[in-house]
Every structure is written in C-alpha cells, then in structure tokens.
Amino acid sequence: MVLSPSRFDDARVPRPSPRYAQAPELVAFGAAVRQRRLALGLSQEALAHEAGIDRSYMSSIERGGQNVGLVLAAQIAGALDIKLAELMAAARL
C-alpha cells in the first residue's frame, strides 16, 4: 500500500519559522503588510507576485509565521509602494 504524502510534505507549502513563529514582532509586521495590502485593494496573490514570492508564503508572513529577512521585507515594501521604514513604523517596530 502506498500512502499519499500529506500536504505538509510538499516543499511548496511554507513551514513556519519554528523558533520565532508567532513572535509579536512577526505578527505586527504581518498585520502591517495585510493592512497596507487591503488599503491598496490588492489580493495576496497579486502582492506575492509583485514581491516575487509564492502566495502561500505571503499568507504565512501575514499570519506571523515567517521570520522575514531584510531583503524580502524590502521587496514586500516595494510591492506595497511604501518605504520599508514606513512599513516598519506602521508595524510599530
């Protein structure tokens, strides 16, 4: 009998950053991203495409499950047409 892999075995599904998942800073950053995205009327898919990342990864970022690096944070800010410093200020970071 062959068992089908779970969806979590798929390399395309983002895994939360285990050490920092749901850290207050990540949750605040994700909320600021979501708020700006919604204010611009963008879907997660559109934002992810503009930032050059997968939509499911963007979803995980918005939920505070990913410890985003500086380069990716800048890409997201650029896709949101905002300076990274402004995005961080909106997150109160």
Side-chain angles (χ1 to χ4, degrees), residues 2-49:
V2 176
L3 297 175
S4 62
S6 78
R7 68 183 191 98
F8 297 105
D9 293 334
D10 188 341
R12 294 171 294 165
V13 176
R15 291 181 174 46
S17 300
R19 186 172 181 186
Y20 298 107
Q22 301 305 310
E25 298 86 355
L26 298 181
V27 172
F29 180 77
V33 169
R34 181 181 304 112
Q35 182 178 14
R36 177 68 179 183
R37 175 179 63 77
L38 294 174
L40 294 174
L42 293 173
S43 67
Q44 271 186 352
E45 187 172 4
L47 175 57
H49 177 75

Side-chain angles (χ1 to χ4, degrees), residues 26 29-30 33 47 51 53 57-58 61 66-88 93:
L26 298 181
F29 180 77
V33 169
L47 175 57
I53 61 174
Y57 193 73
M58 181 60 69
I61 290 168
Q66 297 297 327
N67 189 6
V68 179
L70 185 58
V71 171
L72 181 54
Q75 285 175 223
I76 293 169
L80 290 169
D81 196 29
I82 191 172
K83 292 180 180 185
L84 179 55
E86 293 172 307
L87 185 56
M88 297 301 269
L93 297 174

